[in-house]
């Protein structure tokens, strides 16, 4: 049974930074793609970033390029999302997801496993 557990969310001011963590357990993830999605109230779940666990190649959504960085620590089975220059429009629940494909896909239907989400709120 695959488990993904996110942490690191919180309330910050515009311009601040946060780092989200996703601890993965239950399988060997070396061939997986790991990703972050986010969902604001009343809106659909949108792609933020993805990383191939084996190659470390990453992909980003247009709205976060240059501000967010996805990374992974193999020894800790953990994926991170470093978020800088946060803005109110970044407010959402952030979800960690895992796909058994090695492709850096950006659609929710391609992900097999999901975490419970962590809330990020950006407000002055």
């Amino acid at each position: 049974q695959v488990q993904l557990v996110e942490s690191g969310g919180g309330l910050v001011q515009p311009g601040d930074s946060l780092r989200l963590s996703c601890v993965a357990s239950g399988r060997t993830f070396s061939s997986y793609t790991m990703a972050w999605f986010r969902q604001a109230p009343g809106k659909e779940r949108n792609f933020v970033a993805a990383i191939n666990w084996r190659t470390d190649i990453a992909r980003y959504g247009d709205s976060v390029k240059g501000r967010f960085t996805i990374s992974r620590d193999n020894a800790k089975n953990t994926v991170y999302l470093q978020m800088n220059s946060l803005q109110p429009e970044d407010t959402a629940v952030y979800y960690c997801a895992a796909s058994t494909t090695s492709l850096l896909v950006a659609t929710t239907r391609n992900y097999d496993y999901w975490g419970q989400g962590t809330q990020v709120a950006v407000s002055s």
Side-chain angles (χ1 to χ4, degrees), residues 32-35 37 47 50 59 97-114:
Y32 280 37
T33 291
M34 304 296 294
F37 287 78
F47 174 74
R59 175 185 177 183
S99 171
T100 54
T101 177
S102 59
L103 301 175
L104 298 177
V105 290
T107 51
T108 56
R109 66 177 181 271
N110 292 111
Y111 288 83
D112 308 285
Y113 306 101
W114 293 85

Side-chain angles (χ1 to χ4, degrees), residues 26-100:
R27 303 197 68 147
T28 300
F29 293 90
S30 59
S31 61
Y32 280 37
T33 291
M34 304 296 294
W36 289 93
F37 287 78
R38 66 186 182 185
Q39 188 166 19
K43 297 189 176 181
E44 63 183 21
R45 194 169 296 190
N46 290 324
F47 174 74
V48 175
I51 189 167
N52 181 280
W53 199 283
R54 181 177 60 83
T55 66
D56 207 26
I57 295 173
R59 175 185 177 183
Y60 296 91
D62 289 341
S63 61
V64 306
K65 281 180 183 176
R67 298 189 300 127
F68 290 11
T69 302
I70 189 171
S71 62
R72 89 282 189 266
D73 184 329
N74 289 353
K76 296 181 179 180
N77 257 15
T78 300
V79 176
Y80 302 100
L81 184 68
Q82 178 65 43
M83 305 186 294
N84 298 329
S85 301
L86 283 162
Q87 300 301 318
E89 52 265 35
D90 295 315
T91 295
V93 177
Y94 283 70
Y95 295 92
C96 178
S99 171
T100 54

